[in-house]
């Protein structure tokens, strides 16, 4: 069953604030195998002009994907999540994510397309800091595979 096209442009309320911690950044950098010193050493980050350690570029995926979950779990959308695979991810940064940031994510359904029986859903997550300034926009592409014929 095709997804409800009327959801295109629908925006969901912002998530509760997520406080970015140094340890979370360090753990993430270690998990993805990125040893850049600005991710773990405040002095190295300051030498690059940052007030504190910064997060690797894909760090925000964990909070934007969680926020997109509100969209995909909306029963009115009609998405069968058991058939979903992650299709793509893009980030457009205004500035790096820093330790101490308190971030919220507002999710918007950017597009819904049907391709070869598969539903393709783009969800934009606008990540703002505590002052309301845009930090990064993440676009998550999800593909709901067509049901197999009996």
């Amino acid at each position: 069953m095709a997804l409800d096209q009327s959801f295109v442009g629908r925006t969901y309320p912002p998530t509760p604030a997520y406080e970015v911690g140094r340890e979370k950044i360090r753990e993430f950098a270690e998990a993805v195998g990125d040893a850049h010193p600005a991710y773990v050493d405040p002095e190295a980050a300051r030498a690059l002009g940052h007030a504190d350690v910064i997060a690797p570029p894909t760090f925000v995926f964990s909070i934007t994907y969680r926020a997109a979950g509100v969209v995909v779990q909306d029963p009115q959308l009609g998405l069968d999540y058991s058939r979903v695979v992650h299709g793509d991810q893009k980030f457009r940064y205004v500035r790096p994510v820093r330790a101490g940031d308190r971030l919220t994510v507002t999710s918007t359904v950017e597009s819904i397309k049907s391709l070869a029986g598969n539903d393709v859903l783009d969800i934009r997550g606008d990540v703002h800091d505590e002052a309301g300034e845009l930090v990064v926009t993440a676009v998550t592409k999800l593909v709901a595979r067509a049901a197999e014929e009996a």
Side-chain angles (χ1 to χ4, degrees):
M1 182 171 90
L3 296 179
D4 185 345
Q5 287 289 324
S6 72
F7 273 70
V8 174
R10 185 175 293 193
T11 297
Y12 289 76
T15 62
Y18 173 88
E19 187 165 346
V20 179
R22 282 184 184 170
E23 185 64 11
K24 286 289 187 187
I25 291 173
R26 185 197 62 74
E27 289 171 349
F28 186 88
E30 185 177 288
V32 298
D34 193 333
H36 194 289
Y39 303 151
V40 295
D41 181 0
E43 289 303 316
R46 281 192 273 283
L48 294 172
H50 304 290
D52 204 334
V53 296
I54 59 172
T58 56
F59 178 84
V60 295
F61 176 77
S62 60
I63 62 173
T64 58
Y65 194 74
R66 188 177 314 132
V70 174
V71 178
V72 301
Q73 293 172 8
D74 188 330
Q76 295 177 333
L77 177 62
L79 182 68
D80 179 358
Y81 195 73
S82 70
R83 306 203 63 77
V84 170
V85 295
H86 186 241
D88 194 16
Q89 187 71 48
K90 295 181 182 168
F91 302 99
R92 292 186 301 270
Y93 272 87
V94 175
R95 68 159 175 86
V97 170
R98 300 182 288 246
D101 277 340
R102 291 181 48 81
L103 304 175
T104 59
V105 183
T106 303
S107 295
T108 301
V109 177
E110 284 276 287
S111 69
I112 296 173
K113 298 175 185 153
S114 185
L115 301 168
N118 300 310
D119 287 317
V120 181
L121 174 68
D122 286 336
I123 302 170
R124 186 184 78 232
D126 293 315
V127 180
H128 292 88
D129 63 16
E130 201 166 25
E133 296 293 320
L134 182 65
V135 175
V136 58
T137 296
V139 178
T140 302
K141 183 180 296 292
L142 300 175
V143 179
R145 296 170 290 119
E148 297 172 9
E149 303 209 11

